[in-house]
């Protein structure tokens, strides 16, 4: 059981585990900090978290949703310490089929706290300052990478959009002044964690729906025709052509793929994003257009998002 986070992270709200089982499948565990155990409804702590709604991230600091004694200590899935969690377990075979799904109260003891860069170095066969230690988990990390590649391929095949826009890091000096702006590296280790979280969120949303529980879904509706027609006109001068008639989802993904080779693609991709409706929370499930998911919610970040905390309470 291990965590993979940014090098500077203080609040670790998700951990992963991987186990090879006799059938040849892999049992994936996604373990999320059990914030609901500590933040009880209608307490002063709960009311303040509700007012804040999320943690926020200015360029040089974090303003947490919860007190740091919770977010950075009691709830944080720190290595070599027992921590209360809610876990999603699922068996995944070589074809990507899911079985034996469980959602459980649990206790974990994380053996490794790793950064994205360290995990990527393992994938790339590059040296790190922890080579001897990481060698003991290399096999599991590579198996998890291969698993999440299959999950990602299946998600794209069902019609998810790859709206992976480049991000930037703003570097701030000791006096609080910006010293540099640089591209944020996009690593396969980032995608690995994201795929596992997407899967856990879907599994929990399906559970809410199956049990007819009063869940809070993360929904994303289809874009309207007028927005897509405006996008058609914006992209036309750059050689991106849509066929006549309504623009379909597969047309949007084709356009996104073509944009990678166009100068100024980052700006143009943002126009594609703006043509979409905004994702939002709703008690009624209407699906998630961008992820091509019939049922989706936020479950994996209760330390920093109040909606996730609500979902945890409902599941409990």
């Amino acid at each position: 059981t291990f965590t993979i986070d940014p090098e500077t992270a203080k609040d670790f709200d998700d951990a992963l585990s991987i186990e090879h089982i006799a059938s040849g499948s892999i049992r994936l565990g996604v373990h999320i900090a059990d914030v609901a155990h500590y933040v009880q409804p209608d307490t002063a702590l709960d009311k303040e978290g509700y007012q804040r709604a999320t943690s926020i991230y200015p360029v040089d600091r974090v303003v947490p949703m919860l007190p740091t004694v919770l977010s950075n200590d009691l709830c944080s899935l720190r290595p070599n310490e027992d921590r209360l969690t809610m876990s999603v377990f699922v068996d995944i075979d070589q074809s990507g089929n899911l079985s034996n799904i469980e959602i459980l109260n649990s206790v974990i003891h994380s053996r490794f706290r790793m950064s994205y860069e360290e995990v990527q170095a393992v994938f790339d066969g590059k040296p790190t300052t922890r080579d001897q230690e990481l060698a003991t988990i290399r096999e599991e990390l590579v198996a998890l990478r291969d698993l999440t590649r299959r999950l990602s391929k299946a998600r794209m095949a069902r019609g998810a959009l790859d709206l992976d826009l480049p991000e930037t890091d703003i570097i701030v000096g000791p006096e609080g002044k910006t010293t540099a702006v640089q591209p944020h590296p996009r690593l396969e280790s980032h995608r690995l964690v994201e795929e596992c979280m997407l899967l856990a969120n879907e599994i929990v949303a399906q559970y809410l729906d199956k049990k007819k529980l009063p869940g809070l879904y993360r929904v994303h509706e289809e874009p309207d025709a007028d927005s897509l027609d405006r996008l058609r006109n914006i992209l036309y001068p750059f050689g991106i052509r849509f066929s006549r008639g309504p623009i379909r989802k597969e047309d949007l993904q084709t356009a996104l793929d073509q944009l990678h080779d166009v100068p100024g693609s980052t700006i143009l991709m943002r126009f594609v994003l703006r043509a979409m409706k905004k994702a939002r929370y709703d008690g009624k499930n209407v699906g998630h257009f961008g992820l091509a998911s019939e049922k989706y919610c936020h479950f994996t970040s209760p330390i920093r998002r109040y909606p996730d905390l609500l979902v945890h309470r409902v599941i409990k």
Side-chain angles (χ1 to χ4, degrees):
T1 305
F2 50 89
T3 59
I4 307 173
D5 290 282
E7 186 64 54
T8 57
K10 299 289 192 298
D11 56 337
F12 313 136
D13 53 11
D14 58 79
L16 298 170
S17 63
I18 185 169
E19 180 183 358
H20 297 275
I21 55 180
S23 65
S25 298
I26 284 177
R27 165 149 280 212
L28 173 67
V30 180
H31 313 282
I32 308 300
D34 189 2
V35 177
H37 176 81
Y38 296 96
V39 183
Q40 296 293 321
D42 298 322
T43 59
L45 188 60
D46 179 50
K47 292 174 182 176
E48 180 68 18
Y50 175 81
Q51 289 294 329
R52 295 186 179 217
T54 65
S55 299
I56 58 173
Y57 299 84
V59 293
D60 61 341
R61 71 196 70 189
V62 176
V63 182
M65 180 180 79
L66 300 173
T68 54
V69 69
L70 287 180
S71 63
N72 292 5
D73 185 3
L74 285 174
C75 294
S76 187
L77 307 182
R78 303 196 303 188
N80 306 312
E81 298 181 27
D82 288 352
R83 283 293 183 264
L84 301 182
T85 46
M86 291 191 72
S87 295
V88 174
F89 289 102
V90 56
D91 294 352
I92 309 171
D93 67 18
Q94 292 298 315
S95 300
N97 299 311
L98 310 182
S99 61
N100 299 326
I101 294 171
E102 296 180 287
I103 305 173
L104 303 167
N105 290 308
S106 54
V107 179
I108 68 163
H109 191 93
S110 175
R111 290 181 55 213
F112 298 92
R113 181 268 194 264
M114 294 175 287
S115 70
Y116 289 115
E117 289 76 15
E118 286 174 327
V119 174
Q120 191 62 46
V122 171
F123 294 159
D124 297 340
K126 295 181 178 178
T128 73
T129 57
R130 300 169 64 193
D131 280 351
Q132 190 170 357
E133 181 185 3
L134 295 181
T136 64
I137 198 176
R138 183 184 184 281
E139 183 180 337
E140 285 79 5
L141 291 174
V142 171
L144 186 58
R145 179 199 63 187
D146 295 343
L147 171 66
T148 53
R149 283 177 177 175
R150 294 201 299 273
L151 292 174
S152 178
K153 185 177 180 180
R155 187 164 55 84
M156 299 307 294
R158 78 187 187 197
L161 294 175
D162 188 6
L163 283 166
D164 197 7
L165 295 177
E167 297 181 6
T168 54
D169 290 326
I170 300 175
I171 310 304
V172 179
E175 296 181 357
K177 294 183 179 180
T178 299
T179 58
V181 178
Q182 59 192 33
H184 183 77
R186 185 69 173 140
L187 306 175
E188 187 171 20
S189 55
H190 290 120
R191 285 185 174 269
L192 179 152
V193 174
E194 288 166 7
E195 285 296 336
C196 293
M197 298 306 123
L198 287 171
L199 179 60
N201 285 337
E202 283 192 307
I203 287 172
V204 169
Q206 290 164 5
Y207 180 85
L208 291 173
D209 184 73
K210 180 181 178 181
K211 297 288 186 180
K212 295 182 170 54
L213 295 171
L216 189 62
Y217 295 91
R218 184 68 171 174
V219 302
H220 185 223
E221 292 149 309
E222 292 189 22
D224 59 65
D226 289 343
S227 296
L228 293 178
D229 282 339
R230 286 195 295 271
L231 179 65
R232 186 197 301 267
N233 294 332
I234 290 169
L235 297 183
Y236 186 88
F238 298 92
I240 308 299
R241 306 285 193 263
F242 293 104
S243 58
R244 293 180 180 272
I247 296 176
R248 303 165 300 169
K249 179 183 278 189
E250 50 265 39
D251 299 328
L252 288 171
Q253 186 56 58
T254 299
L256 288 168
D257 294 337
Q258 293 173 341
L259 280 174
H260 288 294
D261 300 322
V262 176
S265 60
T266 301
I267 297 172
L268 294 174
M269 288 175 73
R270 293 195 180 277
F271 279 108
V272 178
L273 187 63
R274 289 181 183 181
M276 307 289 160
K277 292 189 176 180
K278 290 184 178 180
R280 58 184 176 82
Y281 294 105
D282 201 302
K284 181 180 179 182
N285 176 43
V286 297
H288 197 293
F289 175 79
L291 293 172
S293 178
E294 293 182 0
K295 302 175 184 71
Y296 190 73
C297 72
H298 275 173
F299 167 80
T300 54
S301 294
I303 286 178
R304 61 185 180 89
R305 290 190 306 225
Y306 195 87
D308 302 53
L309 174 57
L310 285 180
V311 168
H312 276 235
R313 286 175 177 163
V314 171
I315 294 291
K316 279 180 170 291

